[in-house]
Amino acid sequence: MNDLASTAAPGRTVRGPAVRDALRRAAPALAAYAAIRLLGLVVLAVWSAANGKNWHTLLTARWDALWYTRVAEQGYGYSVQLANGDVHSNLAFFPLLPWLERGLAALLPLSAADAGMIVTWTASLGAAWALYATGERLYGQRAGVALAALWAALPVGIVQSMAYSESLFTALAAWAVYCVLTGRWVWAGVLASLAGLTRPVGAAVVAAVWITAAVTVWNERAGGVGLRAAFGGRHRGMLLGVLIAPLGWCGYFLWVGARQGSLLTGYLDVQGGWGNGFDGGIAFGSFIGDLLSGPAFAAGLGLLIGLALVIWLYVRGVRMGQPLPLLVYGGAVLLLALTAKGYFGSKPRLMLPAYPLLLPVAVGLARLRPARSCLVIGVVAVGSALYGAFWLNGSGPP
């Protein structure tokens, strides 16, 4: 089941009764996911009321949610110049979420902010379904339920309920990777393109499609199959999916570049104005080093342990024989998050879409007795709810 040939095997488009059957199987995972996120919202509401804050405002009208709402209402072109000369432009925010906010607000009596929250909540259920389907296909139903529940119970899981783009991106990315696993290449390309319109890390989904396709063709050629046969027959639609996959990401990247007057570096310049960019992890390493050498040694040590755990989970996934699309996607998300040079407090949020890292834990929980597995997830969910409420009422996700 885990080798590339089997995971890239062709699959038919799921319709009608098959969709209903798939949804029925996923119902326990969706129920667990919804219960965990509802717990997080209830704790947030109580905590916020005690602090004289509004939970709804924290979810829809703070930090990046404000920028997405402004794009939905006014379009691109807004920027803020800071005292140090840096320019924060809303061109840094990819367009799919604000497009959906604008469209839903036009159809229903909703503000763009509330439309964003509805999109996020709906997309988060779609992501949970995709995670369940992935876990079920590879390791069985219980692993699928555990994977969806664990993703809901991440320490920064409250972001999945905010008017942010992480839930929408994860839903599109996870279904795209699942389509690669099942050989639905055209759907994989379409979903990868949409993911590329959602967040810069959409490049990770494109990489999963391209590298898996390349390795599949290489293996076919090594087996004596010609290119025409490799792209047809068992892998019909592969070439089209490969061509479609980068259109969303490249389209927005180049559009911003053209608007900024530099086709290839325009978007990078916009990100630079926010203090973002990629330096191979040098700035992040220096940040950890400063913590370890100063009065915040305990925080630095905790961060170092967390980083080691994340890397261990990825290595564990490799040793478990996770399929290539999952390894490429998860590894790319992890690499992009850890090598970004700005907003160090955002790194847990940036790694939120890296759901393949949770598969080893999900498989371990699936091997426990159901009562023990539920107890572990329950304890983690309570911790996540408390941390999420504390976080949003404090510094929050930058």
Side-chain angles (χ1 to χ4, degrees):
M1 180 66 73
N2 293 352
D3 57 56
L4 182 63
S6 63
T7 55
R12 297 180 180 179
T13 303
V14 178
R15 296 176 181 172
V19 172
R20 289 193 293 271
D21 181 63
L23 184 56
R24 178 187 56 78
R25 296 198 313 273
L30 297 178
Y33 177 85
I36 293 170
R37 294 292 355 115
L38 179 60
L39 173 65
L41 292 175
V42 170
V43 172
L44 174 65
V46 173
W47 196 303
S48 301
N51 282 343
K53 297 182 179 180
N54 186 287
W55 67 273
H56 179 268
T57 300
L58 293 176
L59 294 177
T60 62
R62 299 278 308 269
W63 307 291
D64 288 6
L66 286 173
W67 287 88
Y68 283 117
T69 299
R70 186 174 282 113
V71 172
E73 294 175 341
Q74 303 174 13
Y76 286 105
Y78 176 83
S79 62
V80 175
Q81 184 165 359
L82 305 185
N84 64 0
D86 288 344
V87 176
H88 288 185
S89 168
N90 65 359
L91 289 169
F93 296 89
F94 275 52
L96 186 56
L97 177 58
W99 284 350
L100 293 174
E101 289 178 342
R102 181 186 304 172
L104 191 58
L107 292 174
L108 300 173
L110 294 171
S111 67
D114 286 338
M117 187 168 65
I118 290 176
V119 169
T120 294
W121 289 8
T122 304
S124 68
L125 286 171
W129 189 0
L131 268 59
Y132 167 79
T134 301
E136 179 199 40
R137 178 176 178 83
L138 298 177
Y139 304 108
Q141 185 177 30
R142 290 184 59 192
V145 173
L147 181 60
L150 284 171
W151 190 65
L154 286 171
V156 293
I158 190 65
V159 174
Q160 298 165 25
S161 301
M162 299 179 69
Y164 271 42
S165 60
E166 275 78 6
S167 289
L168 178 61
F169 173 79
T170 305
L172 294 168
W175 279 117
V177 172
Y178 182 79
C179 286
V180 176
L181 288 172
T182 56
R184 296 172 172 89
W185 290 102
V186 176
W187 275 110
V190 171
L191 291 165
S193 186
L194 291 173
L197 282 171
T198 307
R199 293 188 61 80
V201 76
V205 192
V206 178
V209 175
W210 277 15
I211 292 176
T212 305
V215 172
T216 301
V217 172
W218 177 275
N219 289 342
E220 295 281 7
R221 289 290 301 242
V225 178
L227 278 178
R228 180 176 296 181
F231 283 118
R234 295 197 310 119
H235 307 296
R236 183 173 289 111
M238 179 191 291
L239 182 58
L240 182 58
V242 166
L243 293 175
I244 293 173
L247 295 182
W249 189 91
C250 289
Y252 186 70
F253 186 92
L254 295 175
W255 179 79
V256 173
R259 184 173 174 133
Q260 294 294 101
S262 178
L263 197 63
L264 297 180
T265 63
Y267 183 78
L268 299 178
D269 294 338
V270 169
Q271 286 283 9
W274 282 81
N276 288 329
F278 298 95
D279 63 357
I282 295 174
F284 186 41
S286 298
F287 174 72
I288 296 176
D290 290 342
L291 291 177
L292 292 173
S293 60
F297 174 80
L301 182 60
L303 183 57
L304 199 60
I305 292 172
L307 179 61
L309 176 61
V310 167
I311 295 174
W312 179 84
L313 286 172
Y314 182 76
V315 173
R316 180 61 181 161
V318 174
R319 291 179 175 175
M320 286 173 58
Q322 281 185 19
L324 183 61
L326 287 167
L327 293 176
V328 172
Y329 167 74
V333 172
L334 184 60
L335 179 66
L336 292 172
L338 294 181
T339 57
K341 66 180 182 181
Y343 293 94
F344 303 119
S346 296
K347 291 194 181 296
R349 176 171 66 86
L350 296 179
M351 289 189 286
L352 188 64
Y355 66 90
L357 298 177
L358 297 173
L359 267 171
V361 184
V363 172
L365 287 173
R367 292 171 179 165
L368 297 178
R369 293 180 179 178
R372 289 187 177 181
S373 179
C374 290
L375 178 61
V376 171
I377 292 175
V379 170
V380 174
V382 170
S384 171
L386 292 171
Y387 178 76
F390 167 78
W391 192 40
L392 287 198
N393 278 274
S395 62

